[in-house]
Amino acid sequence: MKRFISYIMWVAIIGIGIYFGLRLRVYLGKEAEISYNNLPIMIYSFVFPIIIGILLRLPNFLHENKAKKKWSFDWVKLIAIAFPALYVALLPYLVYSSLGEKLLFSNQIFLLGDTTITLTTVAGIVFGYVLLDSVKV
């Protein structure tokens, strides 16, 4: 029963986080329309999925942390999964930089159209999850 209640609490915390995060997204969108400054919403669109990925991994991380073992880091998982996910999550923003033309897959990102947002969101969630999963307790 204790485990069930803890899962319900985590679902509630993640749900509340997503709710307020989406409300912040709407607010930043309105502010961007008024001020013509898209930087805050671009930063938010990159960081929010990473936070959600970390929140999804946090219950298991805290459970593993109770064992009080020596901490280690899984570099292979970080390099093989997290860095490519970070690259995909950052690609739409890096295209607008001076490096944009020279980046791998930079031209193809615009061919995806509306699915680019979904792709970068999933990549951000994967990056956040794997980032916390790479820390072994």
Side-chain angles (χ1 to χ4, degrees):
M1 187 67 169
K2 183 179 177 183
R3 199 174 101 187
F4 177 76
I5 292 172
S6 69
Y7 282 135
I8 293 295
M9 286 177 37
W10 276 110
V11 167
I13 290 170
I14 292 170
I16 290 169
I18 290 172
Y19 172 75
F20 284 111
L22 293 177
R23 287 192 56 165
L24 179 61
R25 165 70 171 86
V26 170
Y27 171 76
L28 289 174
K30 289 178 182 177
E31 286 295 315
E33 289 175 2
I34 294 169
S35 67
Y36 298 107
N37 182 9
N38 290 331
L39 185 62
I41 200 162
M42 288 177 69
I43 292 171
Y44 168 84
S45 296
F46 170 69
V47 172
F48 183 66
I50 295 172
I51 292 172
I52 295 300
I54 290 172
L55 280 176
L56 290 173
R57 176 67 176 119
L58 196 59
N60 286 341
F61 180 77
L62 293 176
H63 179 71
E64 292 168 357
N65 193 20
K66 288 182 182 179
K68 306 275 186 196
K69 295 179 185 175
K70 185 177 178 182
W71 286 39
S72 64
F73 202 76
D74 190 353
W75 291 102
V76 174
K77 189 180 287 188
L78 185 74
I79 293 170
I81 301 171
F83 284 163
L86 178 64
Y87 179 74
V88 170
L90 275 174
L91 194 57
Y93 311 109
L94 293 175
V95 168
Y96 294 109
S97 71
S98 59
L99 297 172
E101 297 174 355
K102 296 170 181 60
L103 293 172
L104 187 62
F105 304 119
S106 64
N107 295 332
Q108 289 81 9
I109 196 74
F110 289 111
L111 297 175
L112 295 174
D114 292 339
T115 57
T116 303
I117 295 170
T118 306
L119 179 67
T120 57
T121 302
V122 170
I125 292 171
V126 168
F127 175 73
Y129 187 92
V130 173
L131 185 66
L132 197 56
D133 191 45
S134 295
V135 177
K136 295 295 176 192
V137 183

